[in-house]
Each structure stands twice: as structure tokens, then as C-alpha cells.
Amino acid sequence: MKLTVIGGGGVRSMFLAKSIAQQASALGIDELVFMDNDPEKLRIYGGLAAHVSHMLCPELTFTLTGDAVDAVRGADYVITTIRVGGDHMRVRDERIALAHGVLGQETTGAAGVSFAMRSVPALASYCELIKRHSKPGVRVFNFTNPAGVVSQALRDMGYDFTYGICDAPSGMLHQFAEYKGVDPASVMGECYGLNHLSFFRSITVDGQEIMPELMHDDGAYAHTDLRFFDKDLVLDRESVPNEYLYYFYYRERAVANVLGSSQTRGELIEEINREMTRELSGIDIEKNFDEGLACFEKWYGKRENNYMAAETGIHRDRPWAFDVNGKDAGGYAGVALRFMEIAKSGKTQQMILCSPNNGAIPGLLDTDVVESTCDISVNSCVPHHIDADSVPAGNLELIRRVKYYERTVARGIVNRCKKDVVESLAMHPLVNSYSLARDIAEQYFELNRDYIDGWAS
């Protein structure tokens, strides 16, 4: 089986390589290709990934390439994780929104519109190559942000072999497992919503419900990502919220915190990645892997400890290390590998995935891409149905409103229509103003003029 990663020169390439190499034999993966159009990043971060892969599974054929056709030729599965325009365009996306007093977060906030303008055309080009050169029945797992909008646009364009993946839900379940001191495999969650806007309506350990206990447990608010929410809010929502819901429930606080910080998240990431790449460029990764790993751990630890810090004011201060040989926590690669595991088993099993709604969440279109617990089999992906009377109406209302935004901006990008982009921002709960939407959109059109040439008004 051949697995290809498009964007294999990203800073998290080692995480992907570790996840895949640890499960390669069990899943029947014998060929792994990391492709990237940035030769230097592919050399450095792809080189780290290649070394990790060889350490863990030397029989796995691992290739680095800048040739997209060679990368996807004969592939059974493809993971896409790209950043069109690089880190500095993210910085500019965020600052344009913040200058209007609007959250600039790139998946939940207005900046996602700008990122999607660049991401969707690039991913569509890769999907065309995959259609022509990969194996029949190929599956593509997209991690490129904003995953909800991107997944919707790709599906609207007819690429029904694509699925959106995100490690936020599985990551939260891992946190609860760690907090409870139980095996992560024993913790299951029943999730519904959208990418970065989802709710757990059930969390179990070995089949026993623990969510009400977690929602009342002060320790969970201190040691897991429930830390971002007031207990009263969580109890009122009657669910455990995805951490990104912080941006909706504490909108003014998030914007004020970012504007009061010395750096946005994008600026911090840009600085860390620049300095880390500079240092790693002077290290012979193959001969001095331990030195390269120590450099990576130093810089990536800063990134981890400042996750959501600018927006929430909550800083983490815990040592961070990359344990090559330790049991893998999964991450977003784990989501894709879980799908492969289910497909290989030939049985119907559950996992959280972004897929078409097909009547699962009331008030949404069948074609709307949602993020929910699904029943997965070799040939189907069926999200679990939600009874409108069984969950708070406010949760569903927020999901519907944000889905309108995602659906409309995806339509605008697919049809190259600026009017739809303005409409999507005007209806976005974190913008909620036509005049702001128009002004922000105009600046994004100008920023991305080299990517959207020929769009209609």
C-alpha cells in the first residue's frame, strides 16, 4: 500500500512519520512518499521525518520528492497539509481582520476566508492529479485549513474521495484519558457539529458514561482544555465543547487579548519557524540527528506552550519533547490511520470525521460537510443522527449559522464570485456586519490578487 503526504516539508512532518511508521506493518503500508514544493524545507523537515521512519520501520520504503505526479502515482491514500503563501501570508490575513476589531484566527475567524482563497485552488489542482494518477478508490484526507471550508469546497467541486480531518476532538479525548489515568483506546466520544465547532454529547470509558462527571469536575478545568471555559457555560451547553468554541463564547475577550499581546499567533509561528529552520539548516540531519532533534524540541516546545495563549491569556509551562520510540498519541495522522485501519478490518466501526451531513444534523443540507462521529465501512461514511430535541437549541443554532458561512464562502471560491465571499463574512457570527464584511473582503481580494485573477464581482 502506498501513502503520500503532500506538504511533507512542514514542521510537523516528524509527527506524521512517527505515526505512520509505527503502524505501517499492521496496516500494510510499504511505501511512504513525502512531497513538497519547497526544496529546503523538504530537505530539513522531510529529512527528519525520513530518519524517524527508518528508525521505527526500516523496511518501509520512504521517499522525498518535489514531483507531485510521481508522489501520487499509484497512491492508495493521500494526506494533504499545505500552506499556500507561507507563514507571512497568515500574519497578513490575521492583521487585516484585527485592524477592523474582528478575530483573525485562520480557521474560526475571518482570516479563514483569505486562507481558503489560496488553499482551495491549490488542493483542487492536486485532486486532479490524484484522479489521473492514483489508484481507483483512492482516499484523500485533508488537514489544510480552514478544514471546514476547504472540505466543503472540494466536495462541492465533485471530489467525493476527500475527507476533512482534525485532531482537536481526538486530542481532547486523549487529554481526558490522561487526566483519568486510563488507556486512550478505552475512551470514546459521541461528537456532532463542524470542524472547530463541535460538541461532545457523550464521553465514555470502557462503555461507561463519564461526561456529566467531567463537566462538574474542577480538576478537569485545570488540567484539560476545559480550562478555556467557565463551568456554568459548559453545564448550560449540556456538552463538552471543542476548544475553538472559546472564540465564539468569549469573542470580545479573545480580540482584546490578541490586540494586547506583543504578537499574534501567526507572528509567533512565523518567528519560531524562521529561527528553527535557520538553525536546522546548519545541521547535517542524517549524521547528527540527535542535535537536529534537540533543536527541533527547543523551538517546537515554545510553539506548544503558547498554543491559544495570545487569545486566552493562558500560558502553559511544561517541558516538551519528541519521543521517537514512545507510544504514538495519534494526532491528525492518527485520524487518517484510523480510517485505514477500519477499511482493512472490513467491519463497520466508529470514528470522528468531516463528511457530508446526509440528514444527520437537523437544519443543514444533506451536502453540508459536518464533523461528527461516523459509522465507517469500506464503502460508506454515515454520520450519527442528532435528534433536535436531545441537544440544546443554541448549539444547533450556532452550527447552522456558521455552516451558512462555510457553505457560502465555499460557493464563492468555487464559482469565483466576490459577492458570495462578502455575504459569507457578513453572516459570520464573529463579523456580523455587512460594512465590516465588505471592507475586510476587499482587503483580502487585494492581498490575494495573484491567486484569484479573473474573479467576478
Side-chain angles (χ1 to χ4, degrees):
M1 181 191 299
K2 179 178 178 179
L3 171 59
T4 295
V5 176
I6 294 176
V11 297
R12 289 187 281 188
S13 290
M14 271 201 304
F15 306 156
L16 273 168
K18 175 182 173 179
S19 299
I20 296 166
Q22 284 191 342
Q23 296 190 54
S25 296
L27 293 175
I29 301 170
D30 52 22
E31 184 177 0
L32 179 58
V33 179
F34 275 33
M35 176 268 164
D36 205 286
N37 57 15
D38 186 321
E40 180 65 1
K41 289 182 66 179
L42 185 64
R43 182 186 72 82
I44 294 171
Y45 298 106
L48 288 167
H51 194 95
V52 167
S53 176
H54 185 72
M55 289 174 65
L56 296 175
C57 187
E59 63 272 20
L60 176 62
T61 300
F62 190 108
T63 304
L64 300 176
T65 183
D67 188 321
V69 173
D70 281 350
V72 303
R73 183 177 288 116
D76 298 273
Y77 292 97
V78 179
I79 294 173
T80 56
T81 171
I82 63 175
R83 178 168 292 283
V84 182
D87 292 329
H88 192 61
M89 286 293 272
R90 174 182 182 172
V91 170
R92 297 178 71 184
D93 291 341
E94 291 177 345
R95 281 296 179 187
I96 284 173
L98 286 168
H100 293 83
V102 170
L103 183 73
Q105 207 277 336
E106 71 169 8
T107 58
T108 298
V113 168
S114 187
F115 193 12
M117 287 183 198
R118 303 189 296 273
S119 298
V120 170
L123 288 168
S125 296
Y126 285 124
C127 283
E128 284 298 313
L129 293 180
I130 291 164
K131 280 176 61 177
R132 290 199 294 270
H133 301 286
S134 296
K135 288 183 181 175
V138 64
R139 297 288 194 278
V140 176
F141 301 105
N142 174 63
F143 190 68
T144 301
N145 280 323
V149 173
V150 169
S151 298
Q152 186 68 57
L154 292 177
R155 283 274 174 168
D156 290 348
M157 297 173 82
Y159 302 119
D160 57 2
F161 49 79
T162 62
Y163 296 91
I165 59 175
C166 180
D167 58 348
S170 60
M172 182 164 268
L173 293 177
H174 272 83
Q175 289 182 27
F176 292 141
E178 182 179 356
Y179 175 63
K180 288 291 188 180
V182 300
D183 183 354
S186 70
V187 181
M188 301 291 290
E190 188 70 31
C191 174
Y192 69 97
L194 311 176
N195 177 246
H196 286 184
L197 199 160
S198 58
F199 301 88
F200 283 108
R201 56 176 173 151
S202 171
I203 299 173
T204 61
V205 175
D206 290 325
Q208 182 176 352
E209 184 63 61
I210 66 165
M211 195 176 79
E213 173 189 336
L214 284 171
M215 292 166 63
H216 285 87
D217 184 353
D218 289 342
Y221 292 85
H223 299 292
T224 75
D225 282 345
L226 279 176
R227 63 172 59 87
F228 300 130
F229 304 99
D230 294 309
K231 183 188 291 187
D232 288 348
L233 170 65
V234 174
L235 295 174
D236 183 56
R237 296 297 90 200
E238 299 176 19
S239 58
V240 168
N242 184 298
E243 70 242 44
Y244 283 85
L245 278 161
Y246 169 85
Y247 298 119
F248 291 96
Y249 293 133
Y250 303 91
R251 176 182 61 179
E252 75 294 338
R253 188 183 302 176
V255 173
N257 284 341
V258 175
L259 291 174
S261 298
S262 59
Q263 291 177 303
T264 64
R265 176 68 174 172
E267 287 164 347
L268 175 68
I269 296 298
E270 181 183 33
E271 179 183 311
I272 287 173
N273 288 351
R274 181 180 63 246
E275 294 305 311
M276 179 166 60
T277 303
R278 181 184 60 78
E279 286 193 23
L280 284 169
S281 67
I283 299 172
D284 186 324
I285 299 299
E286 192 56 40
K287 293 181 179 178
N288 301 297
F289 176 75
D290 289 344
E291 182 184 356
L293 180 60
C295 174
F296 180 86
E297 288 177 334
K298 177 184 71 173
W299 288 106
Y300 201 87
K302 293 181 180 180
R303 173 176 173 148
E304 283 294 287
N305 281 327
N306 283 281
Y307 175 67
M308 288 184 71
E311 300 93 339
T312 66
I314 300 173
H315 293 260
R316 307 176 191 189
D317 187 19
R318 52 190 295 186
W320 187 88
F322 181 73
D323 184 356
V324 175
N325 295 296
K327 185 177 180 180
D328 184 50
Y332 65 90
V335 181
L337 293 171
R338 172 62 177 156
F339 188 102
M340 297 177 204
E341 179 184 29
I342 294 172
K344 183 177 175 63
S345 76
K347 301 176 182 178
T348 299
Q349 299 182 51
Q350 295 181 8
M351 66 176 292
I352 299 170
L353 194 66
C354 294
S355 65
N357 182 50
N358 289 328
I361 299 179
L364 299 184
L365 303 179
D366 285 349
T367 54
D368 284 340
V369 171
V370 299
E371 182 175 87
S372 296
T373 301
C374 300
D375 289 328
I376 305 291
S377 66
V378 175
N379 297 312
S380 68
C381 175
V382 182
H384 290 184
H385 179 77
I386 301 297
D387 184 344
D389 295 330
S390 68
V391 297
N395 295 4
L396 291 176
E397 189 61 33
L398 182 57
I399 290 168
R400 292 168 185 144
R401 180 74 177 271
V402 174
K403 190 64 235 184
Y404 179 88
Y405 150 76
E406 289 187 351
R407 184 191 310 130
T408 307
V409 72
R411 184 178 69 216
I413 293 171
V414 171
N415 295 330
R416 302 159 63 90
C417 176
K418 293 180 179 179
K419 181 180 178 181
D420 280 341
V421 174
V422 174
E423 167 70 4
S424 73
L425 279 173
M427 293 297 291
H428 193 303
L430 300 182
V431 180
N432 203 34
S433 161
Y434 172 76
S435 57
L436 283 176
R438 181 191 56 203
D439 293 346
I440 293 170
E442 285 298 332
Q443 288 187 260
Y444 285 153
F445 297 147
E446 175 60 23
L447 176 66
N448 293 296
R449 62 185 182 278
D450 292 338
Y451 300 91
I452 62 169
D453 183 48
W455 278 35
S457 298

